[in-house]
């Protein structure tokens, strides 16, 4: 399991120019079962994407197609972790 922490390096006007393309990219990730959750950070200085992949290389490859990355809108910190506790069984099933 991976969490990508995005930090914007361009003004929000530039972020907003690519937001539709970024969300289309995320929609494809959700449709393929790769994305678990995503959303903007508060305050709005970046975002967070949780991905279910089997390797850091796979996460990097997937995120290389994000318009925010392609257009150098954000920097990406990718954190790998192993979920061991869950709020309920439905989340556990999603993550397995």
């Amino acid at each position: 399991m991976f969490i990508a922490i995005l930090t914007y390096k361009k003004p929000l006007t530039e972020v907003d120019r690519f937001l539709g393309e970024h969300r289309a990219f995320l929609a494809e990730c959700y449709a393929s079962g790769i994305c678990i959750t995503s959303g903007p950070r508060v305050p709005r200085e970046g975002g967070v994407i949780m991905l279910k992949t089997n390797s850091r290389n796979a996460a990097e490859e997937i995120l290389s197609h994000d318009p925010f990355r392609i257009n150098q809108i954000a920097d990406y910190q990718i954190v790998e972790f192993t979920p061991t506790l869950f709020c309920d069984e439905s989340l556990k099933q999603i993550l397995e």
Side-chain angles (χ1 to χ4, degrees):
M1 185 73 52
F2 295 87
I3 294 177
I5 302 168
L6 287 66
T7 302
Y8 298 142
K9 55 186 190 176
K10 300 276 177 103
L12 288 178
T13 54
E14 280 293 294
V15 172
D16 289 341
R17 277 188 52 218
F18 293 96
L19 190 56
E21 293 175 46
H22 170 71
R23 287 182 176 161
F25 159 78
L26 289 173
E28 291 177 17
C29 289
Y30 281 107
S32 66
I34 294 167
C35 280
I36 303 298
T37 189
S38 61
R41 290 168 42 192
V42 178
R44 191 175 172 213
E45 55 192 26
V48 177
I49 305 169
M50 184 181 289
L51 305 106
K52 181 182 177 186
T53 67
N54 56 7
S55 72
R56 178 176 293 278
N57 287 342
E60 288 279 0
E61 169 60 24
I62 291 159
L63 293 170
S64 74
H65 299 283
D66 185 346
F68 279 0
R69 193 168 225 177
I70 292 167
N71 294 285
Q72 300 180 6
I73 300 299
D75 287 325
Y76 291 66
Q77 176 189 6
I78 299 174
V79 178
E80 182 174 8
F81 76 104
T82 303
T84 56
L85 297 173
F86 307 91
C87 182
D88 62 29
E89 285 301 310
S90 61
L91 180 59
K92 184 176 179 180
Q93 291 171 0
I94 290 169
L95 298 176
E96 292 179 336

